[in-house]
């Protein structure tokens, strides 16, 4: 038998330790090993116990076990900028040679010049132009491939890793735990439905038909005699704020029993979830961990931000209505999957 | 022990005969007992055998086993008028006392006067006015209750039964057979998504989240401090013709392996399904049985119709592309569930 190389040996040790960690988590019976013991973890465990106890007052039939999750800032990192915005800006650079006019045309010239101040001040109309130029004009299949290629190469600036590696281990455990208890887990994102579908199954185990998001219009057309769906530069649906309950009803048609978010874009999703009968789990991730991830609010005196704002009014409403706020700093032992073992 | 009443005795006999029929179908191993042996039945059986044979050339992973079904004329009776159109006309009559102006206003006055010729000539704009007046202005929950109440009382004019009793037994068997083989069955209807959701689970075993259909816009609002979704008099999405593949991609995000339709509104759904790789089952129900149901085309010299048109061009395309046409007269032993035992 050949001696193990140093690298293979290290991999073996990591695998053994990984298995040991998984085995001990299974043995301890803790489905949420990356969560610190505390109110947030207890809220999840107690809720699931209640809705799965047959004959109990809070029992929920399996067909109605719907759980909805925001994506940006709830399942993966959204700072310093939404991954999809980074994607759009990168696409402007890739497409620039075909558009010489962009050198002197707002908002493209700011992107091409790398003018961070100008980009930080982009209005909704600027982003609409960028989305139209980068997200439309191709088939749905081509767009998915473009997103997949980008995700394979993209590096988030602080952690220098793909956005798909910067997902929250504690939330992966919640997804698994809910699914093990008969829940169907949905993403309900303000981001692009088609963008998120490009990685939802592989990264979160959430199939494409369980991704609700914003979308542009599509058109049935033919290429070489075969039908294709062409992406059009025209907004079809905005799945944010009041759009989240609308999207949930349109795509799922059932009121969720579980909703996780992290910003004012998720307020109405939690409100809609909480307005149903019986026990409902409503939770918000607070980014208060500048050391391990980011810190922004401006709730509780955290720095203000334009990306994933968690205002004080949302914090006050959460306290009043019993929405559970998750402190990234205090409730999560680990942040990313590669720290988990 | 008390003697059985005549009625209870008859029910017992019926139950025993029913069990015997089910048991003998199970014993014979025929999952489609209401189908006559022939090309249509064989096409279904051969397809399912192929896509479920692990290691076979046509094998399809369970996650991708998506089957889409038109509703009107494919799963239930659509003549002499779509059930939802009957619903809308009935609602005009119910709401008329609140709208005295309708007595002299098109298209409402024709409905209130029972003017069949005028109604038969209604243009799309007339129906849009009727839909706006009868399908909007209430919450999504109120609308569902109105539909359920109507279905409980409505009588289709020829068969004098609720539309939910006038479903096709052979198609129920196809739904069950596909589900037993790992398929998820979706309705993809030109009719209203919310209308069909009111009965899809109970009648077809299809949960509301697997109903894709046309929809009007909704708005997030508050009633007595609780959030509601208000139905607005504004078209949001038309899930018909080219809208069917768009709706399939928007709501499901996967290309179906199975598509059943019955009219030109389903053409693009079958084309989109057939444009995928590997084995795909594309089928069209032809209503050629005036005695047991209805006969209309105008394909193959059948009478022309405005409701569920199956033109000769669709028949020619079906033959050319290998879409299997189901003859209601020759391929179905029984039509409705109560004839099945």
């Amino acid at each position: 038998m050949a001696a193990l190389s140093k690298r293979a040996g290290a991999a073996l040790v990591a695998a053994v330790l990984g298995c040991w960690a998984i085995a001990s988590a299974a043995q301890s019976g803790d489905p949420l090993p990356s969560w610190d013991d505390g109110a947030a973890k207890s809220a999840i465990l107690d809720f699931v116990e209640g809705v799965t106890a047959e004959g109990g007052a809070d029992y929920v039939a399996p067909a109605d076990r719907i759980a909805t999750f925001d994506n940006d800032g709830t399942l993966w990192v959204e700072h310093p900028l939404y991954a999809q915005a980074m994607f759009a800006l990168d696409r402007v650079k890739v497409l620039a040679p075909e558009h010489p006019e962009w050198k002197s045309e707002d908002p493209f010239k700011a992107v091409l010049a790398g003018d961070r101040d100008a980009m930080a001040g982009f209005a909704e109309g600027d982003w609409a132009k960028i989305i139209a130029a980068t997200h439309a004009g191709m088939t749905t299949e081509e767009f998915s491939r473009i997103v997949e290629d980008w995700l394979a190469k993209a590096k988030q600036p602080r952690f220098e890793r793909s956005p798909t590696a910067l997902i929250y281990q504690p939330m992966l455990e919640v997804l698994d735990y809910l699914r093990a208890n008969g829940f169907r887990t949905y993403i309900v994102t303000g981001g692009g439905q088609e963008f998120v579908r490009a990685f939802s199954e592989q990264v979160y185990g959430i199939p494409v038909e369980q991704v609700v998001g914003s979308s542009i219009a599509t058109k049935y057309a033919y290429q070489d005699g075969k039908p294709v769906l062409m992406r059009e530069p025209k907004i079809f649906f905005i799945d944010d704020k009041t759009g989240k309950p609308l999207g949930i009803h349109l795509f799922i048609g059932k009121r969720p029993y579980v909703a996780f978010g992290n910003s004012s874009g998720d307020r109405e999703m939690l409100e809609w979830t909480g307005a149903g009968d019986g026990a409902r789990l409503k939770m918000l991730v607070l980014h208060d961990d500048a050391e391990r991830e980011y810190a922004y609010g401006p709730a509780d005196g955290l720095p203000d931000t334009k990306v994933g704002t968690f205002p004080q009014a949302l914090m006050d409403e959460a306290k009043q209505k019993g929405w559970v706020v998750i402190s990234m700093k205090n409730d999560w032992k680990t942040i990313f999957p590669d720290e988990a073992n």
Side-chain angles (χ1 to χ4, degrees), chain A:
Chain A
M1 200 174 146
L4 284 167
S5 72
K6 192 173 166 187
R7 188 170 167 164
L12 182 64
V13 169
V16 169
L17 287 175
C19 288
W20 175 82
I22 290 164
S24 54
Q27 200 165 25
S28 74
D30 184 352
L32 303 175
S34 296
W35 290 71
D36 271 299
D37 292 328
K41 181 173 180 170
S42 296
I44 301 167
L45 296 173
D46 292 349
F47 168 81
V48 170
E49 199 174 315
V51 297
T52 56
E54 283 192 55
D58 291 329
Y59 179 73
V60 175
D64 294 325
R65 292 184 196 163
I66 303 290
T68 55
F69 294 82
D70 170 59
N71 183 44
D72 293 306
T74 299
L75 295 179
W76 77 357
V77 172
E78 65 184 349
H79 266 226
L81 195 60
Y82 301 117
Q84 194 174 356
M86 293 199 275
F87 164 77
L89 298 177
D90 282 352
R91 288 298 296 167
V92 167
K93 291 173 206 157
V94 169
L95 296 170
E98 299 165 34
H99 296 274
E101 73 281 9
W102 284 356
K103 277 183 193 150
S104 55
E105 192 181 321
D106 284 324
F108 304 102
K109 69 178 184 188
V111 178
L112 297 175
D115 183 342
R116 281 169 184 272
D117 288 343
M119 285 191 270
F122 277 170
E124 213 167 284
D126 295 315
W127 282 110
K129 282 182 194 164
I130 291 169
I131 295 292
T134 58
H135 284 60
M138 72 289 280
T139 69
T140 49
E141 291 183 359
E142 286 163 354
F143 181 73
S144 293
R145 276 198 299 273
I146 292 168
V147 175
E148 285 165 18
D149 290 349
W150 180 81
L151 286 169
K153 292 177 202 153
K155 302 261 184 239
Q156 194 266 6
R158 172 173 169 188
F159 296 103
E160 296 184 335
R161 307 185 57 187
S162 170
T164 58
L166 299 174
I167 56 179
Y168 304 131
Q169 173 64 25
M171 294 305 295
L172 296 181
E173 293 169 5
V174 171
L175 290 171
D176 281 343
Y177 178 49
L178 288 171
R179 289 192 289 247
N181 282 282
F183 276 85
R184 264 158 305 144
T185 53
Y186 284 79
I187 290 173
V188 177
T189 176
Q193 184 184 43
E194 200 82 348
F195 182 84
V196 175
R197 279 177 169 174
F199 59 87
S200 64
E201 172 76 56
Q202 199 189 337
V203 171
Y204 303 126
I206 295 179
V208 297
E209 61 270 35
Q210 288 168 215
V211 176
V212 177
S214 298
S215 54
I216 58 179
T218 53
K219 192 181 167 182
Y220 196 71
Y222 295 90
Q223 278 184 355
D224 304 325
K226 281 193 83 172
V228 293
L229 305 182
M230 290 300 297
R231 291 173 59 82
E232 306 261 280
K234 191 178 142 197
I235 295 293
F236 177 72
F237 181 63
I238 299 290
D239 189 61
D240 199 29
K241 298 190 172 73
T242 61
K244 291 206 173 192
L246 301 189
I248 287 168
H249 187 75
L250 182 67
F251 285 85
I252 311 174
K254 290 173 178 169
R255 193 190 299 260
Y257 277 84
V258 174
F260 278 75
N262 77 298
S263 79
S264 48
D266 304 311
R267 188 200 156 271
E268 285 81 4
M269 175 167 73
L270 269 66
E271 180 179 63
W272 178 246
T273 300
D277 293 335
R280 310 264 170 173
L281 184 66
K282 294 87 58 184
M283 300 191 74
L284 288 167
V285 177
L286 182 69
H287 294 259
D288 58 356
D289 193 335
E291 199 179 315
R292 296 188 300 168
E293 202 245 10
Y294 292 96
Y296 50 95
D300 288 359
L302 292 164
D304 201 358
T305 180
K306 279 190 172 184
V307 176
T309 309
F310 192 135
Q312 188 60 43
L314 182 62
M315 181 64 82
D316 296 342
E317 187 173 8
K319 281 181 186 153
Q320 188 215 324
K321 294 186 175 168
W323 302 350
V324 182
V325 176
I326 300 159
S327 161
M328 192 173 263
K329 191 172 178 178
N330 300 319
D331 288 316
W332 287 0
K333 284 185 194 165
T334 55
I335 307 284
F336 302 122
D338 52 5
E339 309 160 8
N341 298 331

